[in-house]
Amino acid sequence: LVAVDALLREGAYTRARDELAFIMRYQNKSSGAIWHELSQSAGFLDWVHAYPYMFVHVDVSLDFLDTIRDYVETTGDVGFAKRHWASIRAAYDYCRSTVPPGQTLPEIPAGQQGRDEQDPQRDELSLSLAWVTASESFATLARLTGHDARASDATRRSRVARDAIRPAYYAASKQQWVSGHLRSGAPVEG
C-alpha cells in the first residue's frame, strides 16, 4: 500500500493498478481481510495456516480502502472499482465487523493487532481514526460504482465514528489524549 501511494504520486498508474490487483489476489476469501505480510517463500510452505503473520493486522484493511479510493480518484479508473467491487465490499465488511454491536468505533479482535505491535491493545486512537476515513473512502467508492444505499450507510458510520473520537480518547481530567486502551480498559498514554 505504501508502494501504491508512491506510484500514484509518480504517475505510474499501471503499476499502481497492478499492485492493487496483487494485494486483492491474496485477500482472505472468508473474512475479506487484507494481508499484512506475505513471505517470498510462501509458495513453499503453509504460510496462511501455519504462521500467524498474514492477516494479523486489522489496520491494513482500513488502509486498503483509502488506497483504492486514492487510486480511483487520482486516475479516474472507476472501471477498476467496478470490476473489483466484491473485493472492496468484502474489505469494508471486514472492517465493519471490528466494530462491536451497539458501538461505533473498532476494537482489535483477540489474537490480532492494530498499528502498535509492541503493546497489544483493545482499541487504538489511530485505528479509530482510520475507521473514520476508511468508511468515507468506501462511501466514495460506493457512490462512484452505483451503490448509493451502501454509500449513505458508510457516510453515516463515518460521521458517527468521528463524533465518538473525543469522548473515547480525550481524558478531560488530564487534558490529554490517550493512544488507546488495554484489554482491561486501562488507558494507554503516549
Side-chain angles (χ1 to χ4, degrees):
L1 296 176
V2 173
V4 172
D5 183 53
L7 292 165
L8 290 173
R9 302 307 159 253
E10 182 63 26
Y13 302 148
T14 300
R15 180 71 191 268
R17 184 194 65 228
D18 292 346
E19 290 289 334
L20 288 169
F22 176 78
I23 290 167
M24 287 184 277
R25 189 166 95 202
Y26 293 99
Q27 182 176 16
N28 187 316
K29 301 303 180 214
S30 62
S31 72
I34 300 298
W35 52 279
H36 163 68
E37 192 171 309
L38 182 64
S39 170
Q40 290 182 336
S41 61
F44 300 106
L45 46 91
D46 187 11
W47 183 251
V48 175
H49 299 101
Y51 298 91
Y53 310 113
M54 193 158 180
F55 298 104
V56 72
H57 278 273
V58 175
D59 55 303
V60 178
S61 298
L62 297 157
D63 295 340
F64 170 76
L65 293 169
D66 293 339
T67 303
I68 291 276
R69 178 208 31 84
D70 193 21
Y71 169 80
V72 171
E73 286 184 333
T74 300
T75 65
D77 189 359
V78 175
F80 181 84
K82 287 179 178 178
R83 285 189 304 281
H84 296 285
W85 177 249
S87 178
I88 294 166
R89 188 192 68 238
Y92 177 73
D93 288 345
Y94 168 75
C95 295
R96 203 179 67 214
S97 78
T98 66
V99 178
Q103 296 186 36
T104 58
L105 298 174
E107 290 188 2
I108 302 164
Q112 291 187 283
Q113 298 174 345
R115 295 190 195 282
D116 186 346
E117 293 182 342
Q118 308 310 314
D119 192 17
Q121 298 176 28
R122 177 192 71 198
D123 62 84
E124 295 173 342
L125 172 59
S126 61
L127 187 65
S128 292
L129 292 168
W131 169 238
V132 170
T133 60
S135 295
E136 195 51 49
S137 291
F138 179 78
T140 298
L141 292 164
R143 271 191 289 286
L144 289 171
T145 58
H147 298 91
D148 294 335
R150 283 187 158 267
S152 295
D153 181 65
T155 297
R156 182 190 60 76
R157 289 177 189 273
S158 178
R159 191 176 334 104
V160 169
R162 179 178 283 114
D163 292 343
I165 296 289
R166 181 175 289 276
Y169 295 102
Y170 186 72
S173 62
K174 294 182 179 183
Q175 295 187 348
Q176 68 183 28
W177 290 87
V178 297
S179 62
H181 299 91
L182 299 176
R183 297 249 176 235
S184 68
V188 176
E189 297 178 3

